[in-house]
Amino acid sequence: MRGEIPDADEAWQALARAQFPILTADPELVYLDSAATSQKPQAVLDAVHTYLTTTNANAGRGTYPWANRTTELVEQARERVKSFLGDPAPDRSTVLFTGGTTEGLRTVARDWLTRHLADGDEILVPFADHQANLEPWLEAQRLLLERGTEVRVRALPRQASGDYDHRAFAEAVGPRTRFVAATHVHHVYGGDMNVHRIRAAVGSDVPICLDAAQSVGHLPLRLDDPALDVDFVVFSGHKALALPGTGAVWARNTRGPALRPRGWQGTPNTAGVVSLLAAFDWLDAVGVDRISAHVSRLASRLTDHLRRLDAYEVLGCPTSLAADSSLPVAQRRHGIVTFRHRDIPSDDLGFILFSHGFMVRADSLCQAGADEKEGSVRVSLHVYNTDEEIDRLLDVLVALE
């Protein structure tokens, strides 16, 4: 990234924000949809431009300097993913580049899970998280059934707040439980889903696949932390400041056979891989821990005011969203606030907010099991958002009460 980040929080955030040209071009527009895709800092744009204008070639298919350099960059990016995630055993793990989280989860489902389940086995998956973390497992069940293998798909128990119901895990986990798919941070409620409690419930032998689309690049995710004992981490680069069509699957390769993709592997998204390298360098320089603290504070600021407005319903657990929450850090929300107006339909509210310059997500948010009539407005934040933007948004919301 360009320049050093000062110690003072205000100056730190201002300098970080200044590196996003799409935002500085029109200060009146406020981008509040980073859970859908993040904006890109100049360092990422420069890295992609430099690659495409000096080195662009296919990876693993040529012997001339450009091709060799591209191959090196792809392999370098694999190792960079491992280091960014705090991989405790990089010599044993695998990183596959994909088009994003959805493709990554389907890769685990089709290329790994379907090979290792037997008739009568059970898997636990979330039925109220992102649709992308449900459909691949149902697809795997259908593929297995076509081969004569019947696998039971059971729902991870959940509470009305959107959190997993960890007290009910004992009843959900059985002797034939062979796999669990879980979410790290919920895309609607913003909650840390406490994967360490899932591990405690299923024991040390059951593989866990973690959808980390809303956590990688948003908060520290360290696989050398014993509390994050998972076997797969799947994420989208475009939600972590890299280009669209970029993502990865990390596999620990300790429970069950190593992850290996099926079929012939075509040309990788080399520009996307380069952008991911640059994005992770930028995030490390700025400090993911500081980003997490910043967006959590902004989310608490918004929630604290919304809770006082009778016209709005804040989804999820309002206590854990509040700045004065007494809940442990792992229970807190991370940069996502979702709400409804009690009289104004959510899609209408989205249009109204855009008329005032605010870009938010306003619909059913691709939540599995949600009816389209259950629309809501989601505000999702990143390092480039400011207190002033939250206050401007609150002024509009108060006027609509």
Short mmCIF file of all heavy atoms in Angstrom, two decimals, residues 309-340:
data_model
loop_
_atom_site.label_atom_id
_atom_site.label_comp_id
_atom_site.label_asym_id
_atom_site.label_seq_id
_atom_site.Cartn_x
_atom_site.Cartn_y
_atom_site.Cartn_z
N LEU A 309 -35.57 3.71 18.04
CA LEU A 309 -36.58 4.18 17.10
C LEU A 309 -37.68 3.13 16.98
O LEU A 309 -37.43 2.01 16.53
CB LEU A 309 -35.96 4.47 15.74
CG LEU A 309 -34.80 5.49 15.73
CD1 LEU A 309 -34.22 5.61 14.32
CD2 LEU A 309 -35.27 6.84 16.25
N ASP A 310 -38.90 3.48 17.36
CA ASP A 310 -40.00 2.51 17.37
C ASP A 310 -40.34 1.99 15.98
O ASP A 310 -40.90 0.90 15.84
CB ASP A 310 -41.25 3.15 18.00
CG ASP A 310 -41.06 3.43 19.48
OD1 ASP A 310 -40.21 2.76 20.10
OD2 ASP A 310 -41.76 4.32 20.01
N ALA A 311 -40.01 2.76 14.95
CA ALA A 311 -40.41 2.37 13.58
C ALA A 311 -39.54 1.25 13.01
O ALA A 311 -39.89 0.68 11.98
CB ALA A 311 -40.35 3.58 12.65
N TYR A 312 -38.45 0.88 13.71
CA TYR A 312 -37.51 -0.08 13.13
C TYR A 312 -37.36 -1.32 14.01
O TYR A 312 -37.38 -1.24 15.24
CB TYR A 312 -36.13 0.58 12.94
CG TYR A 312 -36.18 1.72 11.94
CD1 TYR A 312 -36.39 3.03 12.37
CD2 TYR A 312 -36.05 1.49 10.58
CE1 TYR A 312 -36.45 4.07 11.47
CE2 TYR A 312 -36.11 2.54 9.67
CZ TYR A 312 -36.31 3.82 10.12
OH TYR A 312 -36.39 4.86 9.21
N GLU A 313 -37.19 -2.43 13.35
CA GLU A 313 -36.87 -3.70 14.00
C GLU A 313 -35.47 -4.13 13.57
O GLU A 313 -35.22 -4.34 12.38
CB GLU A 313 -37.88 -4.78 13.60
CG GLU A 313 -37.52 -6.17 14.10
CD GLU A 313 -38.31 -7.27 13.41
OE1 GLU A 313 -39.04 -6.97 12.45
OE2 GLU A 313 -38.17 -8.43 13.85
N VAL A 314 -34.58 -4.25 14.54
CA VAL A 314 -33.23 -4.72 14.25
C VAL A 314 -33.22 -6.23 14.33
O VAL A 314 -33.64 -6.82 15.33
CB VAL A 314 -32.21 -4.13 15.25
CG1 VAL A 314 -30.81 -4.65 14.95
CG2 VAL A 314 -32.23 -2.60 15.19
N LEU A 315 -32.77 -6.88 13.26
CA LEU A 315 -32.76 -8.34 13.21
C LEU A 315 -31.53 -8.90 13.93
O LEU A 315 -30.51 -8.24 14.02
CB LEU A 315 -32.79 -8.83 11.77
CG LEU A 315 -33.93 -8.31 10.89
CD1 LEU A 315 -33.92 -9.00 9.54
CD2 LEU A 315 -35.29 -8.51 11.57
N GLY A 316 -31.65 -10.14 14.38
CA GLY A 316 -30.58 -10.73 15.16
C GLY A 316 -30.76 -10.39 16.62
O GLY A 316 -31.83 -9.96 17.07
N CYS A 317 -29.72 -10.60 17.38
CA CYS A 317 -29.76 -10.32 18.82
C CYS A 317 -29.30 -8.89 19.08
O CYS A 317 -28.11 -8.60 19.00
CB CYS A 317 -28.85 -11.31 19.56
SG CYS A 317 -28.73 -11.02 21.33
N PRO A 318 -30.23 -7.96 19.39
CA PRO A 318 -29.83 -6.57 19.58
C PRO A 318 -28.81 -6.37 20.68
O PRO A 318 -27.97 -5.47 20.61
CB PRO A 318 -31.16 -5.86 19.92
CG PRO A 318 -32.22 -6.75 19.36
CD PRO A 318 -31.69 -8.14 19.50
N THR A 319 -28.84 -7.23 21.71
CA THR A 319 -27.89 -7.07 22.81
C THR A 319 -26.46 -7.25 22.32
O THR A 319 -25.56 -6.49 22.68
CB THR A 319 -28.18 -8.10 23.92
OG1 THR A 319 -29.53 -7.93 24.37
CG2 THR A 319 -27.23 -7.92 25.08
N SER A 320 -26.25 -8.25 21.47
CA SER A 320 -24.89 -8.49 21.00
C SER A 320 -24.45 -7.47 19.95
O SER A 320 -23.27 -7.38 19.63
CB SER A 320 -24.77 -9.91 20.41
OG SER A 320 -25.58 -10.06 19.28
N LEU A 321 -25.40 -6.72 19.42
CA LEU A 321 -25.06 -5.67 18.46
C LEU A 321 -24.69 -4.37 19.14
O LEU A 321 -24.09 -3.49 18.53
CB LEU A 321 -26.25 -5.42 17.52
CG LEU A 321 -26.49 -6.46 16.43
CD1 LEU A 321 -27.93 -6.38 15.95
CD2 LEU A 321 -25.55 -6.25 15.28
N ALA A 322 -25.05 -4.23 20.40
CA ALA A 322 -24.91 -2.95 21.08
C ALA A 322 -23.48 -2.70 21.53
O ALA A 322 -22.72 -3.62 21.80
CB ALA A 322 -25.84 -2.90 22.30
N ALA A 323 -23.14 -1.42 21.64
CA ALA A 323 -21.79 -1.05 22.07
C ALA A 323 -21.54 -1.44 23.51
O ALA A 323 -20.41 -1.73 23.90
CB ALA A 323 -21.58 0.45 21.88
N ASP A 324 -22.60 -1.46 24.33
CA ASP A 324 -22.44 -1.79 25.74
C ASP A 324 -22.74 -3.25 26.04
O ASP A 324 -23.01 -3.63 27.18
CB ASP A 324 -23.35 -0.90 26.60
CG ASP A 324 -24.83 -1.05 26.23
OD1 ASP A 324 -25.14 -1.80 25.27
OD2 ASP A 324 -25.67 -0.41 26.89
N SER A 325 -22.70 -4.08 25.02
CA SER A 325 -23.00 -5.50 25.19
C SER A 325 -22.06 -6.14 26.21
O SER A 325 -20.86 -5.89 26.21
CB SER A 325 -22.90 -6.25 23.86
OG SER A 325 -23.06 -7.64 24.05
N SER A 326 -22.61 -6.98 27.07
CA SER A 326 -21.82 -7.70 28.06
C SER A 326 -21.43 -9.09 27.56
O SER A 326 -20.77 -9.85 28.27
CB SER A 326 -22.60 -7.84 29.37
OG SER A 326 -23.81 -8.56 29.16
N LEU A 327 -21.85 -9.43 26.33
CA LEU A 327 -21.54 -10.74 25.79
C LEU A 327 -20.06 -10.85 25.44
O LEU A 327 -19.40 -9.84 25.17
CB LEU A 327 -22.38 -11.01 24.54
CG LEU A 327 -23.89 -11.15 24.77
CD1 LEU A 327 -24.61 -11.22 23.44
CD2 LEU A 327 -24.20 -12.39 25.59
N PRO A 328 -19.50 -12.07 25.45
CA PRO A 328 -18.10 -12.24 25.05
C PRO A 328 -17.85 -11.76 23.63
O PRO A 328 -18.79 -11.67 22.83
CB PRO A 328 -17.89 -13.76 25.16
CG PRO A 328 -18.97 -14.25 26.05
CD PRO A 328 -20.15 -13.33 25.83
N VAL A 329 -16.61 -11.49 23.32
CA VAL A 329 -16.25 -10.97 22.01
C VAL A 329 -16.75 -11.90 20.90
O VAL A 329 -17.22 -11.46 19.85
CB VAL A 329 -14.72 -10.78 21.90
CG1 VAL A 329 -14.33 -10.40 20.48
CG2 VAL A 329 -14.27 -9.71 22.88
N ALA A 330 -16.65 -13.21 21.12
CA ALA A 330 -17.06 -14.17 20.09
C ALA A 330 -18.54 -14.10 19.77
O ALA A 330 -18.99 -14.57 18.73
CB ALA A 330 -16.70 -15.59 20.53
N GLN A 331 -19.33 -13.49 20.66
CA GLN A 331 -20.76 -13.37 20.43
C GLN A 331 -21.12 -12.08 19.70
O GLN A 331 -22.26 -11.91 19.29
CB GLN A 331 -21.50 -13.40 21.78
CG GLN A 331 -21.38 -14.71 22.54
CD GLN A 331 -22.38 -15.72 22.06
OE1 GLN A 331 -23.12 -15.48 21.12
NE2 GLN A 331 -22.41 -16.87 22.70
N ARG A 332 -20.16 -11.16 19.58
CA ARG A 332 -20.47 -9.85 19.02
C ARG A 332 -20.68 -9.91 17.52
O ARG A 332 -20.28 -10.84 16.84
CB ARG A 332 -19.34 -8.87 19.35
CG ARG A 332 -19.11 -8.66 20.82
CD ARG A 332 -20.30 -8.00 21.52
NE ARG A 332 -20.52 -6.67 21.03
CZ ARG A 332 -19.84 -5.60 21.46
NH1 ARG A 332 -18.89 -5.73 22.36
NH2 ARG A 332 -20.11 -4.41 20.96
N ARG A 333 -21.32 -8.87 17.00
CA ARG A 333 -21.58 -8.78 15.56
C ARG A 333 -20.43 -8.06 14.87
O ARG A 333 -19.77 -7.22 15.46
CB ARG A 333 -22.88 -8.02 15.33
CG ARG A 333 -24.12 -8.89 15.18
CD ARG A 333 -24.26 -9.96 16.21
NE ARG A 333 -25.42 -10.81 15.94
CZ ARG A 333 -25.70 -11.90 16.61
NH1 ARG A 333 -24.94 -12.29 17.59
NH2 ARG A 333 -26.75 -12.63 16.31
N HIS A 334 -20.22 -8.39 13.58
CA HIS A 334 -19.05 -7.90 12.87
C HIS A 334 -19.46 -7.11 11.62
O HIS A 334 -19.53 -7.64 10.53
CB HIS A 334 -18.15 -9.06 12.46
CG HIS A 334 -17.56 -9.80 13.62
ND1 HIS A 334 -16.49 -9.32 14.34
CD2 HIS A 334 -17.90 -10.97 14.19
CE1 HIS A 334 -16.19 -10.17 15.30
NE2 HIS A 334 -17.02 -11.18 15.24
N GLY A 335 -19.74 -5.82 11.81
CA GLY A 335 -19.87 -4.92 10.67
C GLY A 335 -21.10 -5.09 9.82
O GLY A 335 -21.15 -4.57 8.70
N ILE A 336 -22.12 -5.81 10.30
CA ILE A 336 -23.36 -6.00 9.55
C ILE A 336 -24.53 -5.66 10.47
O ILE A 336 -24.63 -6.19 11.57
CB ILE A 336 -23.50 -7.44 9.02
CG1 ILE A 336 -22.42 -7.75 7.99
CG2 ILE A 336 -24.88 -7.68 8.43
CD1 ILE A 336 -22.41 -9.19 7.51
N VAL A 337 -25.42 -4.79 9.99
CA VAL A 337 -26.64 -4.45 10.72
C VAL A 337 -27.81 -4.57 9.75
O VAL A 337 -27.82 -3.92 8.71
CB VAL A 337 -26.59 -3.02 11.30
CG1 VAL A 337 -27.88 -2.71 12.06
CG2 VAL A 337 -25.37 -2.85 12.21
N THR A 338 -28.76 -5.42 10.08
CA THR A 338 -29.92 -5.66 9.21
C THR A 338 -31.18 -5.30 9.97
O THR A 338 -31.34 -5.66 11.14
CB THR A 338 -29.95 -7.14 8.77
OG1 THR A 338 -28.70 -7.45 8.14
CG2 THR A 338 -31.08 -7.40 7.80
N PHE A 339 -32.08 -4.60 9.28
CA PHE A 339 -33.27 -4.09 9.97
C PHE A 339 -34.44 -3.96 9.01
O PHE A 339 -34.29 -4.03 7.79
CB PHE A 339 -32.96 -2.74 10.61
CG PHE A 339 -32.47 -1.68 9.66
CD1 PHE A 339 -33.35 -0.81 9.04
CD2 PHE A 339 -31.11 -1.56 9.38
CE1 PHE A 339 -32.91 0.15 8.15
CE2 PHE A 339 -30.65 -0.59 8.50
CZ PHE A 339 -31.55 0.27 7.88
N ARG A 340 -35.62 -3.76 9.59
CA ARG A 340 -36.84 -3.50 8.82
C ARG A 340 -37.54 -2.28 9.38
O ARG A 340 -37.49 -2.01 10.59
CB ARG A 340 -37.80 -4.69 8.90
CG ARG A 340 -37.31 -5.97 8.29
CD ARG A 340 -38.43 -7.01 8.24
NE ARG A 340 -37.96 -8.28 7.70
CZ ARG A 340 -37.75 -9.36 8.42
NH1 ARG A 340 -37.98 -9.33 9.73
NH2 ARG A 340 -37.32 -10.48 7.86
#
